[in-house]
Amino acid sequence: FFDPASNTLSEAKDLLDCTAALKRRYFLMMKTKDAERVGIMVATTAVPGYKAMMDRLKTIIKAADKIPYVFYVGKINPAKLANFPEINVFVLIASPENTVSVDPTE
């Protein structure tokens, strides 16, 4: 960014972070688009409408000529996801209290 007060041009760290995040998002979107097998992780059965949501996801996945797999799980962690190496991408159906934090390096 240009600072007219000091007449200097400087790079904004936030802009670089934003660019990196956008590149990562694009990479993950393309990875999802190329996936052949999609895992639907159902981490809650207490949320009203979870079954309709799961059925809708299965319909969308099949319409895209991909294979859906449904898993009912409790708390999700990278070790549980690693048990299914044949699944290319996962979709999580969960309540707002049930989240997953996966480190991209794992």
Side-chain angles (χ1 to χ4, degrees), residues 6-93:
S6 64
N7 200 21
T8 60
L9 184 65
S10 63
E11 291 184 16
K13 185 177 183 315
D14 292 338
L15 184 60
L16 295 175
D17 290 342
C18 182
T19 302
L22 285 173
K23 285 181 181 178
R24 175 155 175 76
R25 180 182 170 146
Y26 182 75
F27 166 76
L28 292 173
M29 287 180 2
M30 291 300 108
K31 184 176 178 181
T32 301
K33 183 179 175 184
D34 295 339
E36 294 177 11
R37 292 172 295 278
V38 179
I40 302 172
M41 308 294 285
V42 181
T44 185
T45 56
V47 173
Y50 88 91
K51 177 109 171 72
M53 187 181 316
M54 181 184 63
D55 291 339
R56 177 72 176 136
L57 279 171
K58 284 175 25 179
T59 302
I60 292 169
I61 292 166
K62 287 178 184 176
D65 292 328
K66 299 178 186 313
I67 305 168
Y69 293 90
V70 179
F71 303 97
Y72 291 89
V73 296
K75 184 130 175 91
I76 298 176
N77 58 40
K80 285 184 182 177
L81 298 177
N83 287 325
F84 307 102
E86 65 278 357
I87 303 297
N88 303 113
V89 65
F90 291 96
V91 178
L92 176 64
I93 299 176

